Amino acid sequence: MNSPTYREASEESVITPLPMAHLSIEVCHFRHEEILYDTDLVRAQFRRAVPLVAAFIESARIEFGPDTQVSTCYLTDDYFQPRFEPADVLDGLLGAAADAGLTIDYLARESACHQAPVFAGGVAVGENVPVAEMVAARLIAQPEDEEVANGRRPPTAESGWLCNGRREQNASSRPAMHPQPYRPPQEYGRGEHSIFLDVELWHDQDQDQDQERRWSCPFLAAVWQLLRLGMLRYHGAPVVDPQLWTADRAWPDRWTDLPPVMRLNPDAAPFTAYRTLSMLPKRYLLIESAVRVILDHLAPDDDVAAQVAALGSAEGVLVPAKVVERVGHLLLDGT
């Protein structure tokens, strides 16, 4: 299964600018089972998040001034756990947050990091945007080495694997007449020692039956960061447009009938921001390390990047050229 090629947004249309907050804070992440069957854990984590969110908001104000804008968000796991009813999960989630005194400004669906339906006025009005394929097409893999050149290992675009260095080489990879010693993996830009990471981005479940590509959790999490940073466009337009969702509105029966991003707080700062902070349980350490590897291999749209940098400059915000340097994490104990 080959990924389609996507051109620069500026080659097709004018790039729509996005409103930018200074900081986007992701407030925890739970499995649907935890929300439904371990509400004490969810409430406890949300209670812990309240003073932490306040502290990071105050820190941002010290850095950016009294007019600093900060929004909060939550990503619900409907891509890997679609079997649970939206009403059961979301009522439990938002109820626990309200009990803890935690405001969630934006609620997003993880499956929208794969394909994002176009919504307007709270209803679907267009075809799905192939978000994951767009991002995959912008990844720059490691330079070709002998394993790729001799056909023993396919390149990243075919294999779905991406690493932060040169993979190991065994003697068996050379002809018997020309044995070579074992060569360990080696991290690019390493210090004295290497920390080598090899990340699965996707796998194709059954090519013979033309089944859909299955994207990995780290890859979708990387897309999630790019959405929050306002770095993605489709034909010049934003990939997602947060839709206002009021408390008196009933949840639909299917996750796909929900907008990709819902604005729960009508007074919230913008969803997109110059920087992100994700407050997550420590069990996501490896996933978020993989996210950083993926983002470190990203070639962003030059015109989108220039637009975001210019917006930041006008507000006195220095926007790092490397996307991964705009992403922060706080890993929480107790889960």
Side-chain angles (χ1 to χ4, degrees), residues 239-253:
V239 169
V240 296
D241 179 20
Q243 302 289 296
L244 181 63
W245 196 275
T246 56
D248 59 348
R249 189 169 180 179
W251 303 112
D253 294 331

Side-chain angles (χ1 to χ4, degrees), residues 35-58:
I35 297 171
L36 293 173
Y37 308 124
D38 197 351
T39 55
D40 288 343
L41 172 112
V42 176
R43 289 193 180 96
Q45 289 300 311
F46 276 158
R47 284 196 297 269
R48 290 183 60 197
V50 171
L52 293 172
V53 170
F56 279 106
I57 291 175
E58 181 59 26

